[in-house]
Amino acid sequence: MSHFTTVATKITNIQCLLKALDQLKWKYTHAEDGVTVRGWRGQTSLAEVSINMGRYDIGVVKNEDGTYGLQADWWGVETTIGKTEQEVVDEINKAYAYQVVVAACEEQGYRIEEQVQAEDGTIKLSVGKWG
């Protein structure tokens, strides 16, 4: 019986996700042909990215529709790092969204000049363009 469950996300850009993981300072392994994700009692799964959360990992798996899901033994992750599944997913989604915005700005020739984070966690970016 597997203890792995997958959370649906709207992640579509693996490079932005990897930058988000770097931003969070989380260790991971990435390989398009698959890396091992560790779960309960030595169970494993394959994913494109394996995020090391201590004794357990979070796998990033590509879905048929081109989006990526987060797969893990969420009980094991929570007991290892003290964060719920929702807290972990929210943290990844927030960092990912930031990286998507930065990439979109850069693609259009803008650069980030200033960023300010409000108490509620909102990030405001000021961008500029030389031309």
Side-chain angles (χ1 to χ4, degrees):
M1 179 175 149
S2 174
H3 286 79
F4 286 99
T5 56
T6 303
V7 175
T9 69
K10 295 188 181 195
I11 294 171
T12 57
N13 184 318
I14 197 72
Q15 292 307 314
C16 286
L17 175 63
L18 297 177
K19 287 179 181 179
L21 296 174
D22 289 337
Q23 175 186 333
L24 294 169
K25 295 183 176 34
W26 290 0
K27 295 178 184 171
Y28 62 87
T29 305
H30 173 241
E32 287 183 25
D33 59 344
V35 292
T36 302
V37 178
R38 299 170 296 158
W40 185 70
R41 297 185 103 183
Q43 291 181 354
T44 61
S45 179
L46 281 180
E48 188 169 330
V49 178
S50 179
I51 306 166
N52 183 331
M53 303 308 279
R55 289 181 41 205
Y56 297 86
D57 300 321
I58 298 172
V60 179
V61 293
K62 191 166 191 172
N63 300 316
E64 289 181 19
D65 66 359
T67 63
Y68 290 88
L70 301 175
Q71 180 183 79
D73 177 339
W74 293 103
W75 174 87
V77 170
E78 183 175 347
T79 58
T80 302
I81 66 169
K83 293 181 183 178
T84 67
E85 170 187 326
Q86 192 61 56
E87 289 171 326
V88 171
V89 171
D90 288 348
E91 205 168 340
I92 291 170
N93 281 335
K94 181 179 176 184
Y96 172 75
Y98 172 84
Q99 293 300 332
V100 168
V101 169
V102 168
C105 289
E106 290 173 351
E107 283 176 17
Q108 295 180 28
Y110 292 93
R111 64 183 174 97
I112 308 298
E113 292 181 349
E114 180 183 15
Q115 77 178 38
V116 177
Q117 185 165 348
E119 288 183 29
D120 68 356
T122 304
I123 299 173
K124 294 182 181 184
L125 299 175
S126 296
V127 298
K129 188 172 189 176
W130 292 92

